Amino acid sequence: MSTSAVPTGPGRSGEPDTEGADGLLAEQLLRLTRRLHRIQKRHLEPVGITPAQSRLLRTVAHFGDPPRMADLAARLEVVPRAVTSLVDGLEAVDRVRRVPDPTNRRVVRIELTDAGRATLRELRSARRAAAEDILAPLTAAQREVLGGLLSALVDPGPEGAC
């Protein structure tokens, strides 16, 4: 076996194992994502909705006029059937309602109800509490650094866009 076939890394050639470091970072990000989902789900339980329903409510609220189902599917980057299921669930608990489009009777739009707007206020509090849970071990300076790092990953610019 030639020496070029021997894996390199810490303790082998003195060079850092960047593939291993990237793999560790990826694993840490995945673990953090799972932890975020668990914490968010725990904070949303008293509100009575799922994280996916929460995201749909927030998305509906960001549209100026009530959006079409297709608009929601495109914004959420999901198939239209997924939006239908979410809307059905939220409509069953009076947080959204389907309304006819005023200019095209074949089009159905989704609007928030008063209960949906109240739920959005509860969601803001739940999200703040979940963020505090996850960020509790960090100092203010560490939070600022993390914010900058996350911004670089979330908004990589044109060269890093997918």
Side-chain angles (χ1 to χ4, degrees), residues 33-46 49-52 54-55 58 123 126-127 129-131 133-134:
T33 300
R34 287 190 295 268
R35 184 167 178 239
L36 284 167
H37 283 278
R38 282 192 312 272
I39 289 171
Q40 182 182 25
K41 189 174 180 180
R42 188 179 76 231
H43 282 277
L44 289 177
E45 281 175 3
I49 63 172
T50 67
S54 165
R55 188 169 174 231
R58 291 190 324 271
L123 287 174
R127 286 171 58 106
D133 278 2
I134 203 82

Side-chain angles (χ1 to χ4, degrees), residues 9 28 31 42 55 58-59 63 98 106 128 131 133 161:
Q28 288 172 314
R31 287 176 51 210
R42 188 179 76 231
R55 188 169 174 231
R58 291 190 324 271
T59 302
F63 278 90
R98 289 172 167 91
R106 293 175 294 167
R128 278 192 297 275
D133 278 2

Side-chain angles (χ1 to χ4, degrees), residues 24-99:
L24 176 61
L25 280 174
E27 179 60 29
Q28 288 172 314
L29 286 170
L30 290 172
R31 287 176 51 210
L32 178 60
T33 300
R34 287 190 295 268
R35 184 167 178 239
L36 284 167
H37 283 278
R38 282 192 312 272
I39 289 171
Q40 182 182 25
K41 189 174 180 180
R42 188 179 76 231
H43 282 277
L44 289 177
E45 281 175 3
V47 180
I49 63 172
T50 67
Q53 290 173 327
S54 165
R55 188 169 174 231
L56 182 97
L57 277 179
R58 291 190 324 271
T59 302
V60 170
H62 280 96
F63 278 90
D65 294 320
R68 299 173 306 138
M69 298 275 239
D71 299 330
L72 290 168
R75 180 78 58 95
L76 294 169
E77 298 178 346
V78 298
V79 297
R81 177 71 191 127
V83 171
T84 300
S85 296
L86 291 170
V87 168
D88 288 347
L90 288 169
E91 191 173 39
V93 292
D94 192 40
R95 291 191 168 117
V96 298
R97 70 176 146 252
R98 289 172 167 91
V99 295

Side-chain angles (χ1 to χ4, degrees), residues 72-159:
L72 290 168
R75 180 78 58 95
L76 294 169
E77 298 178 346
V78 298
V79 297
R81 177 71 191 127
V83 171
T84 300
S85 296
L86 291 170
V87 168
D88 288 347
L90 288 169
E91 191 173 39
V93 292
D94 192 40
R95 291 191 168 117
V96 298
R97 70 176 146 252
R98 289 172 167 91
V99 295
D101 183 289
T103 61
N104 184 345
R105 64 187 175 102
R106 293 175 294 167
V107 174
V108 174
R109 295 190 174 268
I110 307 303
E111 72 178 12
L112 293 172
T113 62
D114 289 341
R117 284 185 279 284
T119 299
L120 280 172
R121 289 188 292 277
E122 291 179 73
L123 287 174
R124 286 183 198 101
S125 294
R127 286 171 58 106
R128 278 192 297 275
E132 187 52 43
D133 278 2
I134 203 82
L135 298 172
L138 302 180
T139 66
Q142 289 171 320
R143 289 178 187 205
E144 190 173 328
V145 169
L146 178 61
L149 294 170
L150 290 173
S151 291
L153 293 174
V154 171
D155 300 317
E159 66 280 351

